[in-house]
Amino acid sequence: MKILVIGAGGVGAYFGGRLALAGHDVTFVARGAHGEAMRTNGLMVKSINGDFNLNPVNVISSIGVDVKADLVLVAVKAWQVRDIASQLKAVVDENTMVLPLQNGVLASDELKEYLPAKNVLAGLCRIISKIESQGVISHFGVEPTIVFGETDNSKTTRVAELCRTFNDAGFKSKVADDIQSELWKKFIAICVSALLAVTRSTYGEVRELPETREMMFQLFTEIATLASRLNVYIEDGFVDKTMAFIDTFPHSSTSSLTRDVWEGKPSELEYQNGTVVKLAHQAGLDVPVNKFIYHSLLLMEQRARR
């Protein structure tokens, strides 16, 4: 399979690297020093599931019209999807599948603003990983998994075959029965990232202090209530399951949004807690914990983008 991976950070490099290791023709779009290091020295992935190295690696710095793919994995930050979508028109043909793996619940809709709906899948991934140094990825938490499907939840031959491709590449994958429900369930969990940023704390610290643990519980509950208001199915007891899931994370771990805020970089704040606040307003629902966290970080986010 010819695969184009847009973004070679902790997500794109890990899953793309596994697919390349399995023998697929993988090309990474990566810029700057990280892309140059991959081009020169290959890609090194340090993983709790076993390290691996790829050398040589196919790396390009931009999306060109001469690049065609059976599958495009979109692994950039959520706020970069719209820009990428407009560029992808040059490489998408009749049969290309475009699979976004962003945090949040908006990526597929944003891709469809520029691409034919038939080309766009919906998906999410589970992994805690980051760029450790130029050309080096560290995967240090959570079993790597991709959950995806057609945006209308139809069970097509192409998603069944793609699921087999992913599983054969050495990471878990499944076709969702209800991909919107799966996206929202991950969305609930990731929105705690901004609480970590506000408190300048790790997952372990936030879950251990009773006061911040209660904030985390209320944050999750607000989003689960919003999902139900929007007719997205969230099963009873899911908030408790999410709390238990957070309890399995390495004590010292954080998220990419958290690290971006701390480092003064643009983050996915608008696509996480900002989206909660905006959708809740439209639905006439009060989400005080998410609103407090979002507003607390908004000035920092605006400064980072300036």
mmCIF file with all atom_site columns, all heavy atoms in Angstrom, residues 111-126:
data_model
loop_
_atom_site.group_PDB
_atom_site.id
_atom_site.type_symbol
_atom_site.label_atom_id
_atom_site.label_alt_id
_atom_site.label_comp_id
_atom_site.label_asym_id
_atom_site.label_entity_id
_atom_site.label_seq_id
_atom_site.pdbx_PDB_ins_code
_atom_site.Cartn_x
_atom_site.Cartn_y
_atom_site.Cartn_z
_atom_site.occupancy
_atom_site.B_iso_or_equiv
_atom_site.pdbx_formal_charge
_atom_site.auth_seq_id
_atom_site.auth_comp_id
_atom_site.auth_asym_id
_atom_site.auth_atom_id
_atom_site.pdbx_PDB_model_num
ATOM 1   N N   . LEU A 1 111 ? -12.051 18.350 6.741  1.00 0.00 ? 111 LEU A N   1
ATOM 2   C CA  . LEU A 1 111 ? -11.500 17.766 5.516  1.00 0.00 ? 111 LEU A CA  1
ATOM 3   C C   . LEU A 1 111 ? -12.528 17.765 4.396  1.00 0.00 ? 111 LEU A C   1
ATOM 4   O O   . LEU A 1 111 ? -12.220 18.037 3.232  1.00 0.00 ? 111 LEU A O   1
ATOM 5   C CB  . LEU A 1 111 ? -11.011 16.342 5.785  1.00 0.00 ? 111 LEU A CB  1
ATOM 6   C CG  . LEU A 1 111 ? -9.725  16.209 6.598  1.00 0.00 ? 111 LEU A CG  1
ATOM 7   C CD1 . LEU A 1 111 ? -9.512  14.762 7.040  1.00 0.00 ? 111 LEU A CD1 1
ATOM 8   C CD2 . LEU A 1 111 ? -8.516  16.687 5.792  1.00 0.00 ? 111 LEU A CD2 1
ATOM 9   N N   . LYS A 1 112 ? -13.783 17.491 4.746  1.00 0.00 ? 112 LYS A N   1
ATOM 10  C CA  . LYS A 1 112 ? -14.846 17.440 3.741  1.00 0.00 ? 112 LYS A CA  1
ATOM 11  C C   . LYS A 1 112 ? -15.166 18.813 3.150  1.00 0.00 ? 112 LYS A C   1
ATOM 12  O O   . LYS A 1 112 ? -15.809 18.903 2.105  1.00 0.00 ? 112 LYS A O   1
ATOM 13  C CB  . LYS A 1 112 ? -16.119 16.841 4.344  1.00 0.00 ? 112 LYS A CB  1
ATOM 14  C CG  . LYS A 1 112 ? -16.044 15.350 4.615  1.00 0.00 ? 112 LYS A CG  1
ATOM 15  C CD  . LYS A 1 112 ? -17.351 14.883 5.242  1.00 0.00 ? 112 LYS A CD  1
ATOM 16  C CE  . LYS A 1 112 ? -17.304 13.431 5.640  1.00 0.00 ? 112 LYS A CE  1
ATOM 17  N NZ  . LYS A 1 112 ? -18.561 13.003 6.298  1.00 0.00 ? 112 LYS A NZ  1
ATOM 18  N N   . GLU A 1 113 ? -14.712 19.868 3.802  1.00 0.00 ? 113 GLU A N   1
ATOM 19  C CA  . GLU A 1 113 ? -14.910 21.197 3.230  1.00 0.00 ? 113 GLU A CA  1
ATOM 20  C C   . GLU A 1 113 ? -14.092 21.371 1.945  1.00 0.00 ? 113 GLU A C   1
ATOM 21  O O   . GLU A 1 113 ? -14.409 22.214 1.102  1.00 0.00 ? 113 GLU A O   1
ATOM 22  C CB  . GLU A 1 113 ? -14.516 22.274 4.243  1.00 0.00 ? 113 GLU A CB  1
ATOM 23  C CG  . GLU A 1 113 ? -15.432 22.349 5.456  1.00 0.00 ? 113 GLU A CG  1
ATOM 24  C CD  . GLU A 1 113 ? -14.935 23.338 6.490  1.00 0.00 ? 113 GLU A CD  1
ATOM 25  O OE1 . GLU A 1 113 ? -14.030 24.142 6.143  1.00 0.00 ? 113 GLU A OE1 1
ATOM 26  O OE2 . GLU A 1 113 ? -15.413 23.315 7.637  1.00 0.00 ? 113 GLU A OE2 1
ATOM 27  N N   . TYR A 1 114 ? -13.028 20.564 1.789  1.00 0.00 ? 114 TYR A N   1
ATOM 28  C CA  . TYR A 1 114 ? -12.127 20.702 0.647  1.00 0.00 ? 114 TYR A CA  1
ATOM 29  C C   . TYR A 1 114 ? -12.051 19.447 -0.224 1.00 0.00 ? 114 TYR A C   1
ATOM 30  O O   . TYR A 1 114 ? -11.678 19.529 -1.384 1.00 0.00 ? 114 TYR A O   1
ATOM 31  C CB  . TYR A 1 114 ? -10.711 21.036 1.142  1.00 0.00 ? 114 TYR A CB  1
ATOM 32  C CG  . TYR A 1 114 ? -10.617 22.348 1.865  1.00 0.00 ? 114 TYR A CG  1
ATOM 33  C CD1 . TYR A 1 114 ? -10.824 22.422 3.246  1.00 0.00 ? 114 TYR A CD1 1
ATOM 34  C CD2 . TYR A 1 114 ? -10.322 23.522 1.176  1.00 0.00 ? 114 TYR A CD2 1
ATOM 35  C CE1 . TYR A 1 114 ? -10.741 23.644 3.908  1.00 0.00 ? 114 TYR A CE1 1
ATOM 36  C CE2 . TYR A 1 114 ? -10.239 24.730 1.832  1.00 0.00 ? 114 TYR A CE2 1
ATOM 37  C CZ  . TYR A 1 114 ? -10.452 24.790 3.202  1.00 0.00 ? 114 TYR A CZ  1
ATOM 38  O OH  . TYR A 1 114 ? -10.372 25.998 3.844  1.00 0.00 ? 114 TYR A OH  1
ATOM 39  N N   . LEU A 1 115 ? -12.377 18.285 0.351  1.00 0.00 ? 115 LEU A N   1
ATOM 40  C CA  . LEU A 1 115 ? -12.216 17.013 -0.344 1.00 0.00 ? 115 LEU A CA  1
ATOM 41  C C   . LEU A 1 115 ? -13.569 16.341 -0.550 1.00 0.00 ? 115 LEU A C   1
ATOM 42  O O   . LEU A 1 115 ? -14.503 16.569 0.226  1.00 0.00 ? 115 LEU A O   1
ATOM 43  C CB  . LEU A 1 115 ? -11.313 16.076 0.471  1.00 0.00 ? 115 LEU A CB  1
ATOM 44  C CG  . LEU A 1 115 ? -9.905  16.580 0.787  1.00 0.00 ? 115 LEU A CG  1
ATOM 45  C CD1 . LEU A 1 115 ? -9.191  15.595 1.711  1.00 0.00 ? 115 LEU A CD1 1
ATOM 46  C CD2 . LEU A 1 115 ? -9.101  16.799 -0.489 1.00 0.00 ? 115 LEU A CD2 1
ATOM 47  N N   . PRO A 1 116 ? -13.695 15.493 -1.572 1.00 0.00 ? 116 PRO A N   1
ATOM 48  C CA  . PRO A 1 116 ? -14.930 14.735 -1.729 1.00 0.00 ? 116 PRO A CA  1
ATOM 49  C C   . PRO A 1 116 ? -15.220 13.896 -0.489 1.00 0.00 ? 116 PRO A C   1
ATOM 50  O O   . PRO A 1 116 ? -14.326 13.262 0.075  1.00 0.00 ? 116 PRO A O   1
ATOM 51  C CB  . PRO A 1 116 ? -14.641 13.841 -2.943 1.00 0.00 ? 116 PRO A CB  1
ATOM 52  C CG  . PRO A 1 116 ? -13.572 14.562 -3.703 1.00 0.00 ? 116 PRO A CG  1
ATOM 53  C CD  . PRO A 1 116 ? -12.720 15.218 -2.659 1.00 0.00 ? 116 PRO A CD  1
ATOM 54  N N   . ALA A 1 117 ? -16.455 13.895 -0.050 1.00 0.00 ? 117 ALA A N   1
ATOM 55  C CA  . ALA A 1 117 ? -16.829 13.171 1.171  1.00 0.00 ? 117 ALA A CA  1
ATOM 56  C C   . ALA A 1 117 ? -16.482 11.695 1.092  1.00 0.00 ? 117 ALA A C   1
ATOM 57  O O   . ALA A 1 117 ? -16.137 11.071 2.108  1.00 0.00 ? 117 ALA A O   1
ATOM 58  C CB  . ALA A 1 117 ? -18.321 13.350 1.438  1.00 0.00 ? 117 ALA A CB  1
ATOM 59  N N   . LYS A 1 118 ? -16.555 11.113 -0.117 1.00 0.00 ? 118 LYS A N   1
ATOM 60  C CA  . LYS A 1 118 ? -16.282 9.684  -0.264 1.00 0.00 ? 118 LYS A CA  1
ATOM 61  C C   . LYS A 1 118 ? -14.842 9.314  0.070  1.00 0.00 ? 118 LYS A C   1
ATOM 62  O O   . LYS A 1 118 ? -14.543 8.162  0.381  1.00 0.00 ? 118 LYS A O   1
ATOM 63  C CB  . LYS A 1 118 ? -16.595 9.227  -1.686 1.00 0.00 ? 118 LYS A CB  1
ATOM 64  C CG  . LYS A 1 118 ? -15.690 9.839  -2.741 1.00 0.00 ? 118 LYS A CG  1
ATOM 65  C CD  . LYS A 1 118 ? -16.061 9.388  -4.140 1.00 0.00 ? 118 LYS A CD  1
ATOM 66  C CE  . LYS A 1 118 ? -15.149 10.023 -5.188 1.00 0.00 ? 118 LYS A CE  1
ATOM 67  N NZ  . LYS A 1 118 ? -15.516 9.606  -6.551 1.00 0.00 ? 118 LYS A NZ  1
ATOM 68  N N   . ASN A 1 119 ? -13.919 10.289 0.011  1.00 0.00 ? 119 ASN A N   1
ATOM 69  C CA  . ASN A 1 119 ? -12.517 10.011 0.309  1.00 0.00 ? 119 ASN A CA  1
ATOM 70  C C   . ASN A 1 119 ? -12.197 10.059 1.799  1.00 0.00 ? 119 ASN A C   1
ATOM 71  O O   . ASN A 1 119 ? -11.146 9.582  2.229  1.00 0.00 ? 119 ASN A O   1
ATOM 72  C CB  . ASN A 1 119 ? -11.608 11.015 -0.396 1.00 0.00 ? 119 ASN A CB  1
ATOM 73  C CG  . ASN A 1 119 ? -11.590 10.848 -1.894 1.00 0.00 ? 119 ASN A CG  1
ATOM 74  O OD1 . ASN A 1 119 ? -12.098 11.687 -2.622 1.00 0.00 ? 119 ASN A OD1 1
ATOM 75  N ND2 . ASN A 1 119 ? -11.017 9.756  -2.377 1.00 0.00 ? 119 ASN A ND2 1
ATOM 76  N N   . VAL A 1 120 ? -13.084 10.648 2.591  1.00 0.00 ? 120 VAL A N   1
ATOM 77  C CA  . VAL A 1 120 ? -12.758 10.955 3.982  1.00 0.00 ? 120 VAL A CA  1
ATOM 78  C C   . VAL A 1 120 ? -13.320 9.908  4.939  1.00 0.00 ? 120 VAL A C   1
ATOM 79  O O   . VAL A 1 120 ? -14.520 9.608  4.921  1.00 0.00 ? 120 VAL A O   1
ATOM 80  C CB  . VAL A 1 120 ? -13.281 12.353 4.363  1.00 0.00 ? 120 VAL A CB  1
ATOM 81  C CG1 . VAL A 1 120 ? -12.953 12.672 5.822  1.00 0.00 ? 120 VAL A CG1 1
ATOM 82  C CG2 . VAL A 1 120 ? -12.685 13.416 3.436  1.00 0.00 ? 120 VAL A CG2 1
ATOM 83  N N   . LEU A 1 121 ? -12.449 9.364  5.773  1.00 0.00 ? 121 LEU A N   1
ATOM 84  C CA  . LEU A 1 121 ? -12.839 8.497  6.878  1.00 0.00 ? 121 LEU A CA  1
ATOM 85  C C   . LEU A 1 121 ? -12.836 9.317  8.167  1.00 0.00 ? 121 LEU A C   1
ATOM 86  O O   . LEU A 1 121 ? -12.452 10.489 8.174  1.00 0.00 ? 121 LEU A O   1
ATOM 87  C CB  . LEU A 1 121 ? -11.879 7.317  7.004  1.00 0.00 ? 121 LEU A CB  1
ATOM 88  C CG  . LEU A 1 121 ? -11.697 6.432  5.768  1.00 0.00 ? 121 LEU A CG  1
ATOM 89  C CD1 . LEU A 1 121 ? -10.632 5.363  6.041  1.00 0.00 ? 121 LEU A CD1 1
ATOM 90  C CD2 . LEU A 1 121 ? -13.003 5.782  5.358  1.00 0.00 ? 121 LEU A CD2 1
ATOM 91  N N   . ALA A 1 122 ? -13.245 8.714  9.247  1.00 0.00 ? 122 ALA A N   1
ATOM 92  C CA  . ALA A 1 122 ? -13.155 9.339  10.569 1.00 0.00 ? 122 ALA A CA  1
ATOM 93  C C   . ALA A 1 122 ? -12.351 8.408  11.459 1.00 0.00 ? 122 ALA A C   1
ATOM 94  O O   . ALA A 1 122 ? -12.486 7.181  11.364 1.00 0.00 ? 122 ALA A O   1
ATOM 95  C CB  . ALA A 1 122 ? -14.538 9.578  11.158 1.00 0.00 ? 122 ALA A CB  1
ATOM 96  N N   . GLY A 1 123 ? -11.508 8.974  12.312 1.00 0.00 ? 123 GLY A N   1
ATOM 97  C CA  . GLY A 1 123 ? -10.698 8.099  13.144 1.00 0.00 ? 123 GLY A CA  1
ATOM 98  C C   . GLY A 1 123 ? -10.062 8.798  14.325 1.00 0.00 ? 123 GLY A C   1
ATOM 99  O O   . GLY A 1 123 ? -10.114 10.031 14.461 1.00 0.00 ? 123 GLY A O   1
ATOM 100 N N   . LEU A 1 124 ? -9.466  8.002  15.153 1.00 0.00 ? 124 LEU A N   1
ATOM 101 C CA  . LEU A 1 124 ? -8.743  8.485  16.325 1.00 0.00 ? 124 LEU A CA  1
ATOM 102 C C   . LEU A 1 124 ? -7.626  7.500  16.630 1.00 0.00 ? 124 LEU A C   1
ATOM 103 O O   . LEU A 1 124 ? -7.625  6.358  16.157 1.00 0.00 ? 124 LEU A O   1
ATOM 104 C CB  . LEU A 1 124 ? -9.683  8.617  17.522 1.00 0.00 ? 124 LEU A CB  1
ATOM 105 C CG  . LEU A 1 124 ? -10.361 7.328  18.001 1.00 0.00 ? 124 LEU A CG  1
ATOM 106 C CD1 . LEU A 1 124 ? -9.568  6.644  19.118 1.00 0.00 ? 124 LEU A CD1 1
ATOM 107 C CD2 . LEU A 1 124 ? -11.782 7.619  18.497 1.00 0.00 ? 124 LEU A CD2 1
ATOM 108 N N   . CYS A 1 125 ? -6.682  7.946  17.411 1.00 0.00 ? 125 CYS A N   1
ATOM 109 C CA  . CYS A 1 125 ? -5.628  7.035  17.865 1.00 0.00 ? 125 CYS A CA  1
ATOM 110 C C   . CYS A 1 125 ? -5.435  7.184  19.362 1.00 0.00 ? 125 CYS A C   1
ATOM 111 O O   . CYS A 1 125 ? -5.804  8.203  19.951 1.00 0.00 ? 125 CYS A O   1
ATOM 112 C CB  . CYS A 1 125 ? -4.315  7.301  17.124 1.00 0.00 ? 125 CYS A CB  1
ATOM 113 S SG  . CYS A 1 125 ? -3.567  8.895  17.496 1.00 0.00 ? 125 CYS A SG  1
ATOM 114 N N   . ARG A 1 126 ? -4.871  6.151  19.931 1.00 0.00 ? 126 ARG A N   1
ATOM 115 C CA  . ARG A 1 126 ? -4.518  6.181  21.352 1.00 0.00 ? 126 ARG A CA  1
ATOM 116 C C   . ARG A 1 126 ? -3.035  5.855  21.474 1.00 0.00 ? 126 ARG A C   1
ATOM 117 O O   . ARG A 1 126 ? -2.580  4.781  21.061 1.00 0.00 ? 126 ARG A O   1
ATOM 118 C CB  . ARG A 1 126 ? -5.352  5.177  22.152 1.00 0.00 ? 126 ARG A CB  1
ATOM 119 C CG  . ARG A 1 126 ? -6.847  5.476  22.118 1.00 0.00 ? 126 ARG A CG  1
ATOM 120 C CD  . ARG A 1 126 ? -7.635  4.604  23.082 1.00 0.00 ? 126 ARG A CD  1
ATOM 121 N NE  . ARG A 1 126 ? -9.053  4.941  23.054 1.00 0.00 ? 126 ARG A NE  1
ATOM 122 C CZ  . ARG A 1 126 ? -9.975  4.273  22.376 1.00 0.00 ? 126 ARG A CZ  1
ATOM 123 N NH1 . ARG A 1 126 ? -9.624  3.191  21.681 1.00 0.00 ? 126 ARG A NH1 1
ATOM 124 N NH2 . ARG A 1 126 ? -11.239 4.651  22.391 1.00 0.00 ? 126 ARG A NH2 1
#
